[in-house]
Amino acid sequence: MASRALYSPRHPMLKKRDDFEDILEERRRSSDLRYALRCYTPTLYRGLVPCKASMLKSIVLQSDHLQYVIKQVSSESGESTEGVSEEASLILDEMAHCLQLSTIRFFAFTLSKAFKRLFRSVCVNEEGIQRLQQAVQEHPVVLLPSHRSYMDFLMMSYLLYTYDLPLPVIAAGMDFMSMKFVGEMLRMSGAFFIRRSFGGDKLYWAVFSEYVKTMLRNGYAPIEFFLEGTRSRTCKSLTPKTGLLNIVMEPFFKGELFDVNLVPVSISYERILEESLYARELLGIPKPKESTSGLLKARRVLSEDYGSMYVYFGHPVSVRSLAEGKINRSQYNLLPRYIPQKPSADTHEFLSDAAFRLVRIQEENMVLKPWVLIATLLLQNPDGLDLSSLAEQTDWLRHLALAFGAFLDWPDHEACSEVVSCSLALHRHLLSVSAGHVQLSVTDVPQVETTPEEAVFHQAVVVLSCASYRNQILHVFLRPALLAMAMQSANSNRKDDVYNGFNFLRKVFSNEFILCPGDSVQDFEEACYLLMKRGVLQVLEHEIVMSASGHSTLAFLSSVLDPFLQGYQVVCRYLCEETNENLTEKEFIPAVRSFALKLILAGRLKCYEALSSDLQKNALAAFLRLKAVRKVKVGDQVTLKVNKVAVNSLEDILGGKIPTQKPILARL
């Protein structure tokens, strides 16, 4: 199998990244049937032979923890313990996986065929696989992949089978159970099904948590779940959820396991299968329900070219090391282990901090293709660019991204113009190229007369599809971009003033991007360092001064965040001008979308990203956090009450009047 290295100059010296291996190269040369039926002898945790799925259910149902909760629920509800036990058994039957090697072999064969049709290459870091092989023998392993596509969990199981690693058991949403035949096939390939929310269902939570912890304690198989909870429709990392993370850490907290290895996995796509589907969802078109017939209709994707896919297995993260000095485990000895305990405030803080840092590791290990740079430039130039100018700017942006630590896969010994042309060809469905001029454009709309609203919708699909690629590199530019925007708005070179502006923007956008709580000063220093290294800034004792050559870099960085700024300003304007006393939370996103559409049709707004439901949802979360909006429950509905003075103030601030009066409280 061919291998190659990727580089990222995160330090002054070029840092060599792990070697990558294209697993499809071997698949194209040999029999898929022989591959599927080969001898499969995975490395096991401490050499233990996993128990059967039926035995696993029995252990869960007889556990002290579940028996305690059954008695508790029985006492509270008045139902007999036998009745509650039967209910627990039914929950477990609905939830539990039924992993069978024969089903895995079927998927190995069919997915080999599909992947060879879909992708030019599927590249995996060899050192990451070696680290994982070692980790699964030492301690129970939890796999934490990023989540951008339904393809993610299929590819994870496929790779572990390929490399003779134990097959994971995967937390999956109940949506898949409605798929006839396919749902059961997924169950037999290691999926266990959970509800999207448990509400206050104490019994369901007890069955679920005990099931996961039993598999972990017994070293049954690596457990796999998505920290973000769901697929990211924007291809930005989502704010992580901590419920499952707490469950897999609890056996360590309670002294039932010496350690647990968390393995962040970064999965990146040169072209995303659900690209246009995501854009339509963000514009209010409901997600198609998962169904077998829908899967069969989706076969046409097999005739498309989706470029390359990269899977990077990160370094295992020890829960023991993470918790050292942060978690007082003696608090878990105050009650018998089987009695459920709510996490303390310190534990909540630890879980949140760990989750954010794990997602940041996922981001930093994302392999980026040249198209993400091109998409960034085309979004900043809606009227398009000449090919020669696009190639020149892409080359400039490549060097900036590498200087900021981007994990960029750039073809060796190829002219930039050639690299750009290849990328444009792969994403031609989003572009028009005419007389050497490149522009984002609707190319696949039916040739019928459309209304102005439909024309906006079609263009917004293209813009949001392209933005999903720009979003993949935002983590590289985010902190310098926040600093550039703060400098632009502060009207002062004083370091304190710039920091206050930076910190305010960081707070506003903390639902939009992965910004670790409590890291404001560290992020500010990182931004200063990166821009100093590029010669963009001089950071003096009390001042930050832009260098003579730094204007173009700062202008580009400010433009990166401009769509988000404009989107939040649109939400502010809606809340001040259009909202009524009885606006419900459910009505909010359709109402803001309609308001933004009117502004676009009137020529008062050119930012199509303001139509995105994800941006609108994040803006509302920020305004709730900043006390500009509050929720009031009226009957069965949640109504939004707007503090128009606070919202007007926010709009002024986002428009460039960032306050600088507060003294800096942290070390700079």
Side-chain angles (χ1 to χ4, degrees), residues 328-565:
N328 177 13
R329 291 202 291 162
S330 62
Q331 64 185 296
Y332 289 92
N333 297 329
L334 300 176
L335 291 171
R337 285 174 177 169
Y338 62 83
I339 296 179
Q341 298 180 53
K342 286 188 177 179
S344 65
D346 285 348
T347 303
H348 268 300
E349 186 180 339
F350 168 74
L351 288 168
S352 176
D353 183 68
F356 271 90
R357 296 191 188 285
L358 287 162
V359 175
R360 275 215 71 185
I361 293 170
Q362 288 177 349
E363 286 185 331
E364 289 170 0
N365 289 333
M366 285 281 185
V367 178
L368 305 170
K369 298 294 283 185
W371 171 247
V372 302
L373 305 176
I374 298 165
T376 303
L377 293 168
L378 290 174
L379 286 166
Q380 290 191 11
N381 296 274
D383 294 329
L385 291 164
D386 291 336
L387 266 171
S388 57
S389 177
L390 180 60
E392 183 183 334
Q393 291 188 43
T394 301
D395 196 44
W396 173 84
L397 190 52
R398 169 171 71 110
H399 288 96
L400 182 68
L402 287 171
F404 286 179
F407 197 166
L408 190 62
D409 178 28
W410 189 274
D412 293 329
H413 315 301
E414 274 191 43
C416 186
S417 57
E418 186 62 31
V419 174
V420 169
S421 294
C422 290
S423 292
L424 296 179
L426 184 64
H427 298 276
R428 58 187 174 276
H429 56 291
L430 299 175
L431 307 162
S432 68
V433 182
S434 176
H437 191 78
V438 185
Q439 188 174 3
L440 290 180
S441 178
V442 181
T443 58
D444 58 353
V445 176
Q447 297 300 310
V448 293
E449 198 169 328
T450 58
T451 65
E453 289 83 2
E454 287 171 337
V456 168
F457 176 84
H458 292 310
Q459 186 61 26
V461 168
V462 171
V463 170
L464 292 177
S465 296
C466 193
S468 68
Y469 294 99
R470 184 236 18 234
N471 290 344
Q472 293 178 32
I473 200 170
L474 279 179
H475 67 277
V476 173
F477 297 130
L478 176 59
R479 288 152 189 81
L482 289 172
L483 179 56
M485 200 169 265
M487 288 181 66
Q488 190 180 65
S489 305
N491 296 321
S492 164
N493 288 337
R494 290 184 65 243
K495 191 189 288 186
D496 287 9
D497 293 344
V498 175
Y499 172 78
N500 285 326
F502 176 92
N503 193 35
F504 173 79
L505 288 167
R506 192 180 180 281
K507 284 178 183 173
V508 169
F509 290 128
S510 63
N511 292 89
E512 200 72 57
F513 308 111
I514 298 300
L515 293 159
C516 298
D519 275 7
S520 184
V521 172
Q522 186 178 323
D523 286 347
F524 183 73
E525 290 176 342
E526 180 185 327
C528 289
Y529 167 74
L530 291 172
L531 289 171
M532 282 172 59
K533 190 173 74 168
R534 285 292 290 174
V536 174
L537 300 178
Q538 283 184 300
V539 180
L540 309 175
E541 188 177 354
H542 298 295
E543 286 190 324
I544 296 178
V545 182
M546 181 176 70
S547 68
S549 60
H551 178 75
S552 59
T553 302
L554 290 178
F556 162 77
L557 290 169
S558 293
S559 296
V560 166
L561 294 185
D562 195 54
F564 302 96
L565 199 66

Side-chain angles (χ1 to χ4, degrees), residues 64 169 252 254 312 362 408 488 562 565 597 599 656 665:
D64 291 340
V169 289
F252 165 74
K254 291 187 172 182
Y312 187 99
Q362 288 177 349
L408 190 62
Q488 190 180 65
D562 195 54
L565 199 66
L597 178 61
L599 293 177
L665 299 175

Side-chain angles (χ1 to χ4, degrees), residues 42-112:
T43 308
L44 299 172
Y45 169 57
R46 296 187 176 177
L48 297 175
V49 178
C51 63
K52 292 183 179 179
S54 56
M55 177 62 73
L56 185 64
K57 287 185 189 178
S58 178
I59 295 169
V60 172
L61 291 171
Q62 292 170 23
S63 67
D64 291 340
H65 170 66
L66 189 53
Q67 288 299 315
Y68 177 86
V69 174
I70 286 170
K71 288 173 186 172
Q72 198 177 40
V73 170
S74 172
S75 173
E76 291 170 1
S77 66
E79 192 179 346
S80 68
T81 54
E82 291 79 9
V84 179
S85 296
E86 180 62 26
E87 189 182 343
S89 182
L90 290 172
I91 290 170
L92 191 55
D93 286 341
E94 178 190 62
M95 179 187 298
H97 74 82
C98 184
L99 186 61
Q100 294 183 13
L101 187 56
S102 57
T103 308
I104 295 295
R105 293 191 187 281
F106 169 78
F107 272 118
F109 177 76
T110 54
L111 290 176
S112 290

Side-chain angles (χ1 to χ4, degrees), residues 191-242:
F192 63 96
F193 299 101
I194 56 174
R195 297 174 190 166
R196 291 291 179 188
S197 63
F198 304 164
D201 194 332
K202 192 182 290 185
L203 183 63
Y204 191 92
W205 178 260
V207 172
F208 167 59
S209 61
E210 187 60 30
Y211 182 62
V212 173
K213 287 187 281 190
T214 299
M215 288 190 288
L216 202 66
R217 286 191 295 256
N218 294 357
Y220 180 85
I223 291 168
E224 179 185 322
F225 66 91
F226 301 107
L227 267 174
E228 298 162 281
T230 186
R231 288 174 299 160
S232 170
R233 271 68 173 170
T234 61
C235 291
K236 286 191 287 98
S237 295
L238 305 178
T239 302
K241 309 286 191 294
T242 57

